[in-house]
Amino acid sequence: MASLGLHRLRAPALGRCPPALCRPHSTQASGRRRGAQAFPALPGALLPIHTHVYEANSRNSARCRSRYMELLEKVKLGGGESAILRHTQRNKKLLVRERLKRLLDDDNFLELSPFAGLALPYGDVPSAGCLSGIGKICGIWCMLIANDATVKGGTAYPISVKKQLRAQEIAIQNRLPTVYLVDSGGAFLPLQAQLFPDKEHGGRTFYNEAIMSAMKIPQVAVVCGSCTAGGAYIPTMAEETIIVDRIGTIFLAGPPLVKAATGEDVSAEDLGGARLHSRVSGCVDHFAPNEADAYDCARMIISTLNFEPEPSEHPEYEEPVYDPEELAGLAPCDYQHSLDVKLILSRLLDGSKFLEFKADYGTTLVTGFASVEGNLLGVVASNGHLTHDAALKGSHFVQICNQRAIPLLFLQNTTSQDHLPPNVSKAEQLTNRLKAQACMMAAVACATVPKITLVVGGCHGGESFAMCGRSYEPNFLFLWPNARVGLVDPYRLSWSSQKDEGRTDETEFRTLLSRLKEESSAFYSSARLWDDGVILPQDTRHVLGKCLKIIRQQRYETRFQRSPVLRM
Ligand code: COA
């Protein structure tokens, strides 16, 4: 597949005409005028006054993009060349991306967190040893969770478990049938103490399988490799399972352990191969003579789910009037380089059209209605500090969208606040602001409509919660590569301010600062799965459009039932 994932190569936005000279590019597909198409257009032209900031941001975006491409190349190699050879030539298995390609309708695949697992304290685990993402099978959006056995035999590291749990959470939130491609040696034993037995450890994956089934979220497994120990429960707890002859095995302990325990020599095939499980144990339901047949079988099973495929006709929509490539120059390299967020919106929204709500009140937050690729949504965008008025406006708007069942898009660019109020009146002002922010946090937490969060700049301090940070359970949370994530904003710390606060050791401060900067990078965050992936600004519109389509599938959701499907 040319581009499994979010990774479409685009020319960088650098070297374009100076911002002041940029003209709106042409609009397409005007079509029938729907509600959102009648909204007023945002003024999005870049002015000479923006040039300095635009250029600094563009230079930073180019650096971020190179890092992004470098990491992408790295994770595509999985466990490396020798592991790939072992997998394909000795074990005669398809590589994980090839498997997905055979299973999915097309390459319209939203890969999630490809950078998870990079540069962790226990080393590099490319893509956390398992790919996850959303693609269509027989026209139905499905969550795919697929082990990459080139990464230490597909064994589960703590980050692999976290990635699988997040994928299941997304499947639950968005009602997505889930397909597991299982090829795993079970727990990565050197880290076993971090994999068992806590609530969010390995066992939670199997617990979720039952809960998801009880929620009528169908799950199908394809055993296309080893399913050892914990790995054995995934296919056994799925509603329907296929096993590939001479490639798939399921057992709690493999032949070496049996030999050690009983002295008996037994082959993997006899202990837990495809014939045994399809004819004797009943742990699987379908026998496939080879991998290609297994994926065809999985597709046929998905067609029996009785889900309604996405309509093939989509509403027509307009492209933004202003060029999304220019987003690279609007992606702030730090909080001081943030331009009016409406410049970003005018490059993300259909026809650059926006029906603003409370335009003149609490202007450090921009709220209003728009559409992306024909999907109506409510926008809540940071445009400075979340002041008292801005937070009240945010609370009001979030409740309106919830009332009208309109999905919410948060564009987050927050910074940490100054801690010490200089006088009593300032303290009172801050307390009032705190109260208003608490209101907005409650409104966001309790809104039951789907939420998507995009961190376009900073994700710092308490304001990030009101802007639907990770702990507020957005359906999806993506970062631009220039984004910075951390309790405090290291770019606002200076040696002179630290000296005033009593710090004496400048070297120690500089070391701390460089650590804070490294730990607040978007790639550091994504490696730890604090988000669902880093996306390039130019690709954002397309990613949002896809998420909004995926989210719509939940309207096909049927009522809860009392029990999961039990394998008998
Ligand atoms: N923990 C840690 N590392 C493991 C592992 C485990 N459970 N299982 C395999 N690995 C590592 C191997 O050491 C090897 O590492 P290397 O590339 O640095 O040499 C790599 O994964 C691939 O294993 P290998 O046996 O060479 O590949 P294979 O394709 O022939 O077999 C398995 C893969 C998973 C089938 C096989 O390794 C196996 O059966 N492992 C034991 C599984 C087990 O007992 N799990 C119990 C977990 S509770």
Side-chain angles (χ1 to χ4, degrees):
M1 191 169 317
S3 63
L4 254 184
L6 315 169
H7 320 134
R8 283 174 309 124
L9 273 162
R10 281 174 184 252
L14 295 177
R16 301 179 57 81
C17 53
L21 303 179
C22 289
R23 280 172 293 127
H25 74 185
S26 62
T27 52
Q28 296 158 13
S30 57
R32 199 155 53 90
R33 284 186 83 78
R34 295 158 53 85
Q37 288 179 347
F39 294 167
L42 282 165
L46 292 159
L47 306 172
I49 197 175
H50 300 137
T51 307
H52 176 68
V53 170
Y54 182 92
E55 287 177 352
N57 287 338
S58 297
R59 282 192 296 275
N60 182 59
S61 286
R63 281 191 292 272
C64 292
R65 187 178 185 279
S66 314
R67 180 91 183 114
Y68 173 91
M69 299 309 298
E70 192 187 306
L71 293 181
L72 213 52
E73 285 308 311
K74 180 173 178 162
V75 299
K76 273 189 182 158
L77 282 178
E81 281 171 19
S82 63
I84 291 177
L85 281 179
R86 183 177 58 213
H87 184 88
T88 52
Q89 300 197 351
R90 196 190 72 188
N91 295 347
K92 307 220 177 326
K93 295 190 282 188
L94 295 176
L95 291 170
V96 64
R97 288 177 191 277
E98 183 63 23
R99 288 172 168 170
L100 292 177
K101 188 177 173 181
R102 286 177 185 247
L103 190 54
L104 295 169
D105 291 353
D106 49 36
D107 69 355
N108 194 11
F109 180 66
L110 179 67
E111 184 171 344
L112 300 165
S113 302
F115 302 149
L118 291 181
L120 294 184
Y122 47 77
D124 266 338
V125 190
S127 297
C130 101
L131 261 64
S132 66
I134 302 166
K136 269 200 230 169
I137 304 178
C138 304
I140 296 162
W141 290 107
C142 297
M143 173 61 77
L144 285 303
I145 304 178
N147 299 119
D148 182 354
T150 68
V151 182
K152 293 281 178 194
T155 51
Y157 287 70
I159 196 73
S160 326
V161 172
K162 191 168 178 181
K163 189 165 177 182
Q164 291 182 28
L165 294 182
R166 173 62 187 154
Q168 287 179 320
E169 189 182 7
I170 292 175
I172 291 171
Q173 264 185 323
N174 299 290
R175 308 278 156 197
L176 302 174
T178 300
V179 180
Y180 304 89
L181 303 186
V182 203
D183 187 355
S184 165
F188 181 75
L189 285 171
L191 296 177
Q192 64 83 27
Q194 296 174 51
L195 290 158
F196 180 84
D198 204 0
K199 184 178 164 192
E200 297 289 315
H201 284 172
R204 190 73 178 179
T205 321
F206 322 132
Y207 169 88
N208 282 346
E209 284 189 73
I211 296 302
M212 287 162 74
S213 179
M215 294 168 85
K216 287 201 157 196
I217 297 175
Q219 292 157 94
V220 176
V222 181
V223 181
C224 46
S226 166
C227 295
T228 310
Y233 291 103
I234 292 180
T236 316
M237 291 195 68
E239 290 181 1
E240 232 174 307
T241 293
I242 306 147
I243 191 164
V244 186
D245 191 27
R246 306 202 175 274
I247 282 182
T249 51
I250 305 176
F251 30 64
L252 290 172
L257 267 186
V258 173
K259 171 83 175 164
T262 66
E264 201 182 335
D265 276 315
V266 59
S267 72
E269 232 14 67
D270 289 342
L271 189 63
R275 284 170 205 278
L276 177 113
H277 283 304
S278 53
R279 293 177 185 176
V280 182
S281 76
C283 278
V284 304
D285 313 293
H286 306 276
F287 171 93
N290 54 53
E291 284 208 64
D293 281 15
Y295 305 122
D296 285 347
C297 181
R299 290 180 56 81
M300 284 189 269
I301 293 172
I302 296 293
S303 72
T304 69
L305 298 183
N306 206 11
F307 267 51
E308 204 177 313
E310 189 181 77
S312 50
E313 299 246 320
H314 291 295
E316 289 190 349
Y317 55 83
E318 295 170 77
E319 292 297 327
V321 174
Y322 300 95
D323 189 351
E325 289 288 336
E326 289 165 357
L327 288 168
L330 298 170
C333 55
D334 60 38
Y335 198 69
Q336 281 64 41
H337 284 76
S338 302
L339 295 173
D340 190 329
V341 74
K342 288 183 198 166
L343 293 173
I344 294 181
L345 292 176
S346 62
R347 284 152 182 86
L348 282 182
L349 306 176
D350 290 355
S352 304
K353 289 178 177 166
F354 188 56
L355 182 63
E356 194 166 1
F357 174 78
K358 277 190 154 84
D360 299 325
Y361 179 84
T363 51
T364 55
L365 188 74
V366 170
T367 53
F369 302 96
S371 63
V372 170
E373 296 196 348
N375 302 282
L376 182 67
L377 47 79
V379 175
V380 181
S382 305
N383 205 25
H385 275 297
L386 191 62
T387 60
H388 170 269
D389 291 358
L392 289 187
K393 165 166 130 177
S395 314
H396 186 176
F397 184 71
V398 165
Q399 291 178 80
I400 287 180
C401 289
N402 199 42
Q403 192 85 347
R404 298 180 194 169
I406 298 173
L408 284 159
L409 169 67
F410 293 84
L411 254 58
Q412 184 176 143
N413 181 16
T414 59
T415 188
S416 39
Q417 292 170 11
D418 303 321
H419 289 295
L420 298 172
N423 52 48
V424 173
S425 106
K426 181 80 180 162
E428 191 180 327
Q429 203 186 329
L430 286 179
T431 313
N432 279 332
R433 180 157 95 181
L434 174 69
K435 227 168 24 165
Q437 288 179 355
C439 268
M440 184 166 164
M441 284 188 208
V444 174
C446 296
T448 53
V449 285
K451 297 162 225 163
I452 302 173
T453 302
L454 176 69
V455 182
V456 297
C459 167
H460 302 292
E463 292 183 9
S464 69
F465 303 131
M467 289 303 292
C468 203
R470 185 65 140 182
S471 45
Y472 279 63
E473 296 199 353
N475 296 50
F476 296 99
L477 188 154
F478 296 106
L479 306 178
W480 278 358
N482 57 294
R484 297 161 313 281
V485 182
L487 188 60
V488 291
D489 180 356
Y491 293 84
R492 294 187 79 209
L493 298 177
S494 67
W495 172 235
S496 54
S497 68
Q498 292 293 300
K499 260 196 315 195
D500 294 346
E501 287 191 15
R503 197 182 272 277
T504 52
D505 189 335
E506 186 173 352
T507 313
E508 186 190 71
F509 166 72
R510 302 249 166 248
T511 310
L512 173 70
L513 195 62
S514 102
R515 184 160 70 84
L516 285 177
K517 283 185 180 171
E518 191 205 323
E519 290 180 359
S520 64
S521 103
F523 300 109
Y524 187 93
S525 164
S526 219
R528 283 154 184 77
L529 272 164
W530 298 338
D531 53 74
D532 297 314
V534 175
I535 60 173
L536 294 177
Q538 321 62 315
D539 290 342
T540 304
R541 210 177 120 70
H542 186 57
V543 172
L544 292 178
K546 207 179 288 188
C547 290
L548 289 162
K549 285 189 196 102
I550 292 166
I551 279 167
R552 287 163 82 100
Q553 184 160 286
Q554 49 182 297
R555 70 174 185 270
Y556 309 129
E557 179 234 339
T558 38
R559 281 174 298 118
F560 276 56
Q561 64 179 38
R562 282 223 184 89
S563 79
V565 171
L566 303 175
R567 180 173 297 284
M568 301 297 180

